[in-house]
Amino acid sequence: MDDDELNTALRAYSEAWRRYVSSPASLGVEPVLPARARAAVNKLRAEAVRVPDPGGPLSNYSDALTAWAAANHPRIDSNEVSRHIVDKLIFDHR
């Protein structure tokens, strides 16, 4: 899956999730990220985990990950990168 396809899948998933949690009538099935997109996210996380932690507050590591994503995967929306890649790595890094 290329970055454009992943970006489209992540945006669709995020929008479906927002609709799911914001509507009291949305008692349907919880949105699930498609298997190909999950695999692509896992691949990006494996790349991102190699970004060195510059030390200091966690925000420094977050900034380093965000800069890595912007330089290496600029076609993926930065909000989606934060939601699916950076936030997970920051949480795991604590």
Side-chain angles (χ1 to χ4, degrees), residues 2-86:
D2 69 20
D3 285 356
D4 289 325
E5 292 173 311
L6 179 57
N7 188 53
T8 299
L10 291 176
R11 283 186 173 186
Y13 172 75
S14 292
E15 182 55 35
W17 187 256
R18 277 189 286 281
R19 282 192 311 270
Y20 175 76
V21 298
S22 67
S23 173
S26 67
L27 298 175
V29 177
E30 182 177 317
V32 176
L33 191 60
R36 283 186 67 221
R38 278 195 315 273
V41 166
N42 289 338
K43 183 179 175 186
L44 287 180
R45 282 185 189 143
E47 283 181 46
V49 79
R50 293 189 298 255
V51 172
D53 181 350
L58 277 177
S59 61
N60 290 351
Y61 185 46
S62 176
D63 292 345
L65 290 168
T66 301
W68 164 83
N72 294 287
H73 299 280
R75 299 179 84 126
I76 301 175
D77 182 276
S78 61
N79 291 322
E80 301 302 335
V81 169
S82 290
R83 190 173 294 119
H84 297 281
I85 309 294
V86 174

